[in-house]
Amino acid sequence: VLLKNIHLAPEWLNKLEKKLHNLNPNKNFRLFMTSEIHPKLPLNLLRQSHIFSFESPPGIKANLLHTLLSIPDSRMNNKPVERSRLYFMLAWFHAIVQERLRYAPLGWSKMFEFGDSDKKASFETIDTWLDLVSQGRNNIDPHKIPWNAIRTLIGQCIFGGRIDN
């Protein structure tokens, strides 16, 4: 059984904890729960659980390496060769945004979540525009890359579309 986002109902978790304590389940029964860090999660429930955590890598360098290593070689080596340079710029931008999230009260007015879906959409945007301009060539004149379109779509629509003030 999978219970997602249990941090949204911390009062109910106390009832769940009591039910689990009184339950006599099958030996193959497993309960998986997902949660963000929340101060009202019951400590006894956490102590009885196996906890796995996933956080983005700390620091710009680690985040940059994580992003670049997640790109398959076949995608990175697609024509035109400028594609890999734009991927690096996107990875750098994503790492800066992720690092800035660590300082949410100072960086933005509230916490925003930028993740792999934003990164994936940005890669797709780069691919679409480069394929349109390159038309199968190995190289593109940097002046023919639609910088304004790519910058606007990634910076204002994909990443900036979540920021509400």
Side-chain angles (χ1 to χ4, degrees):
V1 175
L2 173 64
L3 300 175
K4 289 182 160 185
N5 300 321
I6 61 170
H7 61 279
L8 298 175
E11 296 82 23
W12 176 78
L13 291 175
N14 290 323
K15 294 177 187 174
L16 175 67
E17 180 184 359
K18 290 176 185 172
K19 290 209 184 256
L20 289 175
H21 186 68
N22 295 329
L23 190 66
N24 188 13
N26 183 312
K27 66 177 184 161
N28 294 325
F29 175 76
R30 300 290 183 264
L31 175 64
F32 297 92
M33 298 178 284
T34 66
S35 174
E36 292 179 5
I37 296 173
H38 195 279
K40 292 188 178 180
L41 290 177
L43 291 178
N44 287 333
L45 185 63
L46 294 174
R47 286 185 188 124
Q48 295 172 353
S49 304
H50 294 283
I51 299 173
F52 299 97
S53 66
F54 176 77
E55 294 183 16
S56 55
I60 293 172
K61 182 179 178 182
N63 198 311
L64 187 61
L65 285 172
H66 175 74
T67 299
L68 291 173
L69 291 174
S70 71
I71 304 169
D73 287 339
S74 59
R75 185 174 195 168
M76 184 69 87
N77 296 326
N78 277 349
K79 297 176 186 177
V81 295
E82 288 78 13
R83 183 181 314 267
S84 60
R85 294 180 186 137
L86 267 72
Y87 283 175
F88 178 79
M89 285 191 267
L90 174 61
W92 180 261
F93 177 70
H94 185 71
I96 295 292
V97 169
Q98 290 292 92
E99 188 63 21
R100 188 174 176 184
L101 287 175
R102 295 186 188 282
Y103 310 101
L106 300 173
W108 284 297
S109 61
K110 65 181 185 180
M111 187 69 170
F112 295 100
E113 293 199 19
F114 300 105
D116 290 339
S117 60
D118 302 302
K119 186 172 50 176
K120 183 180 178 188
S122 299
F123 282 132
E124 295 296 329
T125 300
I126 289 172
D127 288 343
T128 300
W129 282 98
L130 284 183
D131 291 342
L132 184 72
V133 172
S134 71
Q135 299 174 347
R137 293 187 298 253
N138 287 333
N139 293 82
I140 304 174
D141 179 12
H143 299 293
K144 292 186 178 182
I145 296 175
W147 294 109
N148 287 336
I150 292 172
R151 186 178 14 215
T152 301
L153 287 170
I154 292 173
Q156 293 179 11
C157 297
I158 297 172
F159 281 88
R162 290 214 177 117
I163 299 175
D164 59 2
N165 60 0

